[in-house]
Every structure is written in C-alpha cells, then in structure tokens.
C-alpha cells in the first residue's frame, strides 16, 4: 500500500536533502508492499475501481487514500461517533442541532490533521500537470476543460515513454489520443511551451520555436523588458528554457523517439519547414491571439539576432549569457532547497543542471526533491504544483477557532499553531538577493512550507492572522504565543509588498 509520510527526511538521494526547519510540512508518498490489512487493501481497491468506472462523471483526486490513512492514525484521538444531524423540510433548525452538526464537522476535520500539525491535500493546479483523459481521447488544461493539443500531446508522449505501445493503454488510450492529435492537424500547432518540450525531446526542431535568447539575462536594469520586471513564475519558467534554447539541447534519439516522429506529425519529419510553424497555435489552445508587436519582436530576434549571436565573435556573448543564466538557476535552486518555485520550473531547472553536468551535486539535490511533488490518490499518481500546506492550515485553524469549540480540540489547535510558527520564513534570500531579482522574505509565509522560501502576501496575512488569534487564547490551550519581533517581521514584509 501507499502511505503518506510527514516531515520525513528519507527517500531516494536522501543524503542530498537539507532543510531550514527539520522538514516540517514535507509530505511524500512511499509504497510498502507489506503494509495494510486485507480489509484496508480492499478499501483502496474499491476506491480505485469506483473512480475508474465513474471517471467521466466525477472529479479526479477525492483524496480517498489520504482520508483512509488519517482516519486510521487519528481514530483514538477524536470521538467520531456523533450521528449526522438530519432536519426535515417541516422542522426548524435549532441552536442545538446546528451546534451538533458543527461539532461533528470540527472533529472530522481535526482527524484529518497530520502529525506535524498541517492539513495535507493534493493541489494539482492547471491539469496539464497530470490530467484525466477526456471521452474524446484527448486531455485538457483544466478538469472541466476541452481537450487541447498541449495536454493531449504531452500525455500521449508520456504513455509511450512509460512503455505503452502505439495502440496500448486502457481502452486503447494511445490510439485514441493519436487520432485526436492527427485529426487536429498534428503537433506542429502545439503552443510555445509544447514546442520547447518537443524540441528538447527531439520531436521537433529548435528552429520551430520562437527565440528565447539567454542574453535576456544580460540586459541592463533600465530596460523595460528586464527580468526583474517579470512576474516571478514567468521569469522562473523562461530562465531554464532560455538556457536549454541557447544550448540547443536535444535528448537521445531513441527508437521510441524516432517512432513518435512518425506518429505525431502529419508530414514526413525531414520535410517539415519548421520556421513556418513558429507562430502557429491550435485553436483549442489559443486563449488569446498574439499581438502583432509580439510576433514582430520574435521575428526580428529570429531573423537578425540569432544568426549573429550563434557565430563568432558574438558567440562569446552567448557563452557569457549561458553562464549568467545558470548562475541564476543555481541561486534559485539553493534558496528554495531545490523546490524552485513550482513543478513546471522544477523539471526545467533540474534538466538544465543535468545538461550542465550530469554528475553534479546540483542535479542530485534536484532528484532528492522530486518525491515532494508526487501525490497519490484513488485515481493514481499525479504531480502537485508545489503543495498547499501553509495555505490550507492557515485557513483551517481560523475556521476551527471560529467554531468556539476550543476546549474540545486543544490538541489540534496546539499542533496547528506550532506548524504555523515553524513555517514562517526567518531569513531573506542569501547574498545580494536584489541583484538576483529577489525581494525580502524574512517574516513571510509561503504557500507550502518554510523550505520553499518564496514569500506570498496572502499566505503571510493568513499566517499572521492565525498567530494573532492564537495570542488571545490561553497558552495551555493553544501553546506559546509567537514572539513579537517575528510578528513585526511579518508586518514589515506585508507593507513592503504594497504598490
């Protein structure tokens, strides 16, 4: 059986792991073939079968495996025998009935708390991380979304790389997906991120991508397109992408890759005029058309800049830009304990480190953090965006405090309070962080845990709110108050983020 492990320092490459707060908030799944009774294994099998039979009618990831485990671990801590309150149409809702229903909900929610005080859950984000297949044979961008070229192509490639044949998979998934791709014009119309990944895999040529020059990281700070002016997620995606683009990295051309070239493209691969498809995007994927100025900038870079920057003597500038880009990648990796900022950026930064040196310590440290992104549920394994431990706990403890049932859940409140205190970021990013386009983080809370390191304004506000509410209650009920200077750090952080 799969088991969720909390604040665990183990896993593959564990000797390369390090933490700022003894791994509080870390959540990783581990498979133990000997774990679980026959009854528990049957519950898991039933949950998986029920999801599969109803997969087009129900949402993915109801976190049944998590709830089964938490109920087992906490069954002796909470009285969950309170019967549900049922009110007939002609009956009046009384204070007693409402309180009983609230008490039942509070105890059930408390029973879902993990051993280190947070509430665990899947947070998939946009579903290209690991979406379910649609009835038409494609994959979409969101749970409710229509099939897209991006989602369908990447998931088809994943199935093939994992060993499925061209006709394989449940209900002939590969054959159905390939038909969807070819019926919609083939993969040359995949959006820009897809074009990048296809080029990396050897299923497309880099000349079919719009330029992502690493020289971008050498621009002077007064430029309107300076990286410091970009949204952090956007900057962190294009940082490793620009490195891989500048290196023109292509993975090994295996038999599977050569076969995929035939399966995914309408035209023979060697006859495709890649430059014609740089601006092409499938209508299913086009949420907003490219402005003319954007295409003009790309065309100018492609026609005038790239041919010059890839030839001597300006190729020396390209070399310098690649080194500068890797400097930023390593800095972000180290300051996030190799989480980076999210799963999209994680795999790109990890690949960039491997391209630079497959045997490097940086790559091994990346491998050690891969389990932090994987999540198991009744519908199988998925990739999380980066975890929502602090976000969920911040709201959870405020809801519990609002119930006014404090004396019944003191154990829960103490653990939740302790987790929030452990999760506050206590330092700014290392070194001259402003030159690395980073802001102060001391006093902040992240979306996930302290090791992640990226400050978030609303998570910081909710963390501070929780600590202020706890400070008004007796310490024997909720634990010791947070130190005043750490609250001041939080206020200072929030004020610094005003615009």
């Amino acid at each position: 059986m799969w088991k969720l492990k909390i604040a665990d320092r183990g896993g593959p490459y564990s000797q390369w792991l390090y933490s700022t707060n003894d791994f509080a908030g870390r959540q990783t799944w581990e498979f133990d073939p000997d774990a679980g009774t026959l009854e528990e294994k049957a519950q898991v099998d039933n949950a998986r079968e029920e999801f599969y039979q109803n997969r087009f009618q129900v949402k993915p990831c109801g976190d049944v495996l998590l709830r089964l485990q938490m109920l087992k671990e906490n069954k002796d801590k909470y009285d969950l025998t309170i019967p549900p309150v049922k009110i007939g149409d002609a009956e009046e809702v009384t204070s007693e009935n409402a309180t009983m229903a609230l008490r039942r909900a509070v105890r059930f929610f408390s029973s879902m708390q993990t051993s280190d005080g947070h509430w665990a859950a899947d947070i998939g984000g946009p579903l290209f991380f690991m979406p379910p297949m649609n009835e038409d044979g494609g994959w979409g961008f969101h749970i409710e979304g229509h099939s897209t070229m991006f989602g369908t192509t990447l998931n088809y490639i994943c199935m093939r790389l994992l060993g499925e044949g061209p006709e394989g998979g449940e209900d002939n998934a590969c054959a159905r997906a390939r038909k969807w791709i070819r019926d919609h014009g083939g993969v040359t119309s995949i959006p820009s991120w897809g074009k990048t990944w296809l080029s990396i895999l050897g299923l497309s040529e880099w000349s079919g991508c719009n330029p992502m020059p690493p020289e971008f990281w050498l621009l002077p700070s007064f430029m309107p397109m300076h990286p410091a002016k970009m949204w952090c997620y956007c900057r962190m995606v294009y940082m490793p992408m620009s490195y891989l683009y500048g290196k023109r990295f292509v993975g090994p051309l295996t038999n599977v890759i050569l076969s995929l070239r035939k399966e995914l493209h309408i035209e023979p691969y060697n006859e495709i005029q890649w430059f014609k498809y740089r601006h092409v995007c499938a209508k299913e994927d086009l949420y907003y058309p490219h402005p003319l100025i954007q295409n003009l900038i790309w065309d100018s870079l492609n026609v005038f800049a790239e041919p010059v920057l890839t030839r001597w003597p300006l190729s020396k500038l390209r070399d310098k830009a690649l080194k500068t880009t890797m400097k930023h990648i390593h800095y972000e990796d180290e300051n996030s304990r190799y989480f980076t900022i999210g799963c999209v950026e994680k795999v790109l930064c990890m690949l960039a480190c491997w391209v630079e040196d497959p045997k490097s310590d940086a790559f091994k440290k990346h491998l050690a953090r891969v389990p932090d992104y994987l999540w198991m549920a009744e519908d199988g394994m998925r990739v999380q965006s980066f975890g929502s431990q602090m976000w969920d706990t911040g709201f959870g403890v405020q809801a519990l405090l609002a119930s006014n049932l404090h004396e019944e859940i003191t154990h829960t409140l103490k653990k939740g309070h302790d987790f929030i205190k452990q999760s506050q970021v206590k330092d700014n990013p290392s070194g001259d962080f402003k030159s690395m386009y980073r802001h102060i983080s001391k006093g902040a809370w992240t979306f996930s845990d302290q090791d992640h390191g990226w400050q978030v304004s609303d998570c910081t506000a909710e963390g501070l709110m929780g600590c202020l509410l706890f400070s008004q209650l007796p310490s024997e009920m909720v634990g010791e108050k947070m130190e005043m200077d750490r609250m001041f750090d939080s206020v200072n952080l929030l004020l610094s983020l005003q615009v």
Side-chain angles (χ1 to χ4, degrees), residues 164-344:
E164 292 290 352
E167 311 300 322
E170 292 283 350
D171 298 330
N172 299 316
C174 282
R176 293 168 60 209
R178 185 174 64 256
K179 182 178 186 306
W180 191 98
I181 292 167
R182 296 179 70 88
D183 286 350
H184 290 78
V187 297
T188 49
S189 63
I190 198 170
S192 61
W193 286 13
K195 285 178 166 65
T196 297
W197 273 111
L198 292 184
S199 300
I200 290 169
L201 291 167
L203 297 173
S204 179
E205 297 296 314
W206 282 108
S207 57
C209 295
N210 281 313
M212 296 175 284
E215 289 75 16
F216 183 66
W217 302 93
L218 299 177
L219 291 175
S221 58
F222 62 80
M223 294 288 287
M225 296 177 63
H226 191 268
K229 299 177 173 66
M230 295 177 68
W231 185 39
C232 58
Y233 288 101
C234 186
R235 184 173 77 238
M236 286 292 293
V237 168
Y238 285 104
M239 183 170 64
M241 276 188 178
S242 67
Y243 178 82
L244 297 166
Y245 173 85
K247 297 285 285 188
R248 296 298 196 276
F249 171 75
V250 179
L253 297 181
T254 64
N255 289 334
V256 173
I257 295 298
L258 295 176
S259 178
L260 282 168
R261 286 182 173 183
K262 298 176 182 178
E263 297 166 27
L264 296 173
H265 291 287
I266 303 300
E267 307 171 66
Y269 186 85
N270 293 329
E271 297 177 14
I272 298 174
Q273 294 180 299
W274 299 101
F275 69 92
K276 291 184 177 180
Y277 295 99
R278 286 190 302 107
H279 299 320
V280 176
C281 181
K283 63 181 178 63
E284 292 82 7
D285 298 67
L286 189 61
Y287 285 85
Y288 191 83
H290 298 166
L292 177 61
I293 185 64
Q294 184 178 355
N295 286 341
L296 287 174
I297 292 173
W298 272 331
D299 288 340
S300 298
L301 288 171
N302 189 64
V303 174
F304 300 110
E306 279 301 305
V308 175
L309 290 168
T310 54
R311 289 175 174 81
W312 193 89
L314 285 181
S315 59
K316 296 291 185 180
L317 183 65
R318 171 60 52 97
D319 292 339
K320 180 181 179 182
L322 289 170
K323 290 178 181 177
T324 300
T325 306
M326 277 308 303
K327 176 184 176 183
H328 282 276
I329 291 172
H330 288 315
Y331 180 86
E332 298 297 352
D333 288 347
E334 287 289 334
N335 278 276
S336 63
R337 275 51 65 182
Y338 286 81
F339 272 113
T340 70
I341 197 173
C343 68
V344 173

Side-chain angles (χ1 to χ4, degrees), residues 126-146:
L127 277 185
F128 60 78
F129 297 161
M130 202 67 76
M133 191 179 196
N134 291 331
E135 289 185 89
D136 64 0
W139 281 264
F141 196 79
H142 297 288
I143 293 174
E144 296 85 1
H146 59 270

Side-chain angles (χ1 to χ4, degrees), residues 6-7 9 19-26 113-118 389-390 393 414-427 444-446 448-453 463 467 470 480-483 486:
I6 299 299
R9 64 186 68 221
S19 174
T20 57
N21 65 345
D22 201 26
F23 299 99
R26 189 178 192 226
Q113 189 180 34
T114 63
S115 57
D116 69 353
H118 82 275
Q389 297 94 308
M390 180 56 211
T393 303
K414 284 181 179 178
K415 286 172 59 182
H417 190 191
D418 187 54
F419 177 77
I420 292 175
K421 290 186 290 186
Q422 287 190 72
S423 299
Q424 187 187 30
V425 178
K426 298 179 177 63
D427 298 294
W445 275 273
T446 74
S448 51
D449 59 20
Q450 188 185 107
D451 282 340
H452 184 265
C467 289
F470 279 125
E480 295 298 323
K481 301 176 183 179
M482 175 181 269
E483 296 89 340
R486 290 176 61 186

Side-chain angles (χ1 to χ4, degrees), residues 56-75:
F56 298 125
Q57 287 75 44
V58 300
K59 306 290 187 187
C61 192
D63 267 340
V64 176
L65 305 192
L66 168 70
R67 287 187 279 120
L68 289 173
Q69 179 178 328
M70 291 297 102
L71 285 172
K72 177 184 177 182
E73 292 180 0
N74 295 322
K75 63 181 179 180

Side-chain angles (χ1 to χ4, degrees), residues 5-24 26-28 30 368-369 371-372 451:
K5 305 191 77 174
I6 299 299
D8 184 71
R9 64 186 68 221
Y13 294 89
S14 58
Q15 67 270 32
W16 298 99
L17 281 171
Y18 61 101
S19 174
T20 57
N21 65 345
D22 201 26
F23 299 99
R26 189 178 192 226
Q27 43 188 30
T28 54
E30 181 181 84
R369 281 294 186 178
D372 295 69
D451 282 340

